[in-house]
Amino acid sequence: QQPVQSPQAVILREGEDAVINCSSSKALYSVHWYRQKHGEAPVFLMILLKGGEQKGHEKISASFNEKKQQSSLYLTASQLSYSGTYFCGRSGGSNYKLTFGKGTLLTVNP
Amino acid sequence: EAQVTQNPRYLITVTGKKLTVTCSQNMNHEYMSWYRQDPGLGLRQIYYSMNVEVTDKGDVPEGYKVSRKEKRNFPLILESPSPNQTSLYFCASTRGGTGGYAEQYFGPGTRLTVT
């Protein structure tokens, strides 16, 4: 079962903030975030592990609430380059078995 | 340059004609995966491989086969393609790590159309 992402789409002006949420009905051992620009392959942003360890991007932060089985991605002071579709992925115990959500389309306008 | 390559990048074929999409990585990664991407459905894992000769089903394995005879290669085989397999396919690899948690590197994608 795929994680549920919200919102499905968001439009920002440059400099505004955005939050993308990811929730799972199945146990989350780790949450993975990727960004995909139009016509390109997904690119790694971040991994959040149970216990709070976080590995990833310098300018984008995220949280992982293990009790609620939720993760949120925080994009602050958005730039035009942030535009794309963001995917969260749920790992059930290993990185290689990964189930992604349907994605959130983020558009940043000048 | 560290990369994942896929071939072909574009393919139009007819129902029932067997095809293979190749995937190769030059990073000596243990783990490799295949995903398909369809509008509104996101990325769905087809198969994954933990190492040579070790593969397992992802979320949507029906109609696909894989093999991992060499560490660097992970081909996706469609024995009898059908129109519902028209999709954008991505191969990915990861080195793994503690518990297998590490970033995946995606190939450029293969756009397959089955008529």
Side-chain angles (χ1 to χ4, degrees), chain A residues 31-45:
Chain A
V31 178
H32 304 233
W33 288 96
Y34 285 78
R35 176 172 62 207
Q36 183 180 31
K37 293 185 177 290
H38 183 69
E40 299 181 7
V43 173
F44 170 78
L45 291 176

Side-chain angles (χ1 to χ4, degrees), chain A residues 29-79:
Chain A
Y29 289 89
S30 65
V31 178
H32 304 233
W33 288 96
Y34 285 78
R35 176 172 62 207
Q36 183 180 31
K37 293 185 177 290
H38 183 69
E40 299 181 7
V43 173
F44 170 78
L45 291 176
M46 184 167 298
I47 290 177
L48 300 104
L49 309 178
K50 284 186 83 168
E53 184 180 357
Q54 177 176 308
K55 307 178 186 179
H57 204 275
E58 291 181 355
K59 296 187 178 181
I60 297 174
S61 62
S63 63
F64 180 12
N65 187 323
E66 297 170 29
K67 284 186 178 179
K68 292 186 177 181
Q69 308 279 56
Q70 291 176 346
S71 177
S72 294
L73 188 71
Y74 304 98
L75 301 122
T76 57
S78 59
Q79 305 169 14

Side-chain angles (χ1 to χ4, degrees), chain A:
Chain A
Q1 208 164 6
Q2 292 179 273
V4 176
Q5 291 186 230
S6 63
Q8 290 184 326
V10 58
I11 299 174
L12 303 173
R13 288 200 179 277
E14 212 172 354
E16 292 181 337
D17 302 338
V19 179
I20 300 172
N21 299 303
C22 175
S23 64
S24 175
S25 59
K26 287 192 169 185
L28 283 173
Y29 289 89
S30 65
V31 178
H32 304 233
W33 288 96
Y34 285 78
R35 176 172 62 207
Q36 183 180 31
K37 293 185 177 290
H38 183 69
E40 299 181 7
V43 173
F44 170 78
L45 291 176
M46 184 167 298
I47 290 177
L48 300 104
L49 309 178
K50 284 186 83 168
E53 184 180 357
Q54 177 176 308
K55 307 178 186 179
H57 204 275
E58 291 181 355
K59 296 187 178 181
I60 297 174
S61 62
S63 63
F64 180 12
N65 187 323
E66 297 170 29
K67 284 186 178 179
K68 292 186 177 181
Q69 308 279 56
Q70 291 176 346
S71 177
S72 294
L73 188 71
Y74 304 98
L75 301 122
T76 57
S78 59
Q79 305 169 14
L80 297 176
S81 62
Y82 285 9
S83 291
T85 301
Y86 289 77
F87 293 99
C88 73
R90 178 197 76 230
S91 168
S94 63
N95 182 54
Y96 34 85
K97 179 76 168 82
L98 203 53
T99 301
F100 284 98
K102 295 181 179 181
T104 295
L105 177 61
L106 178 77
T107 304
V108 181
N109 292 321

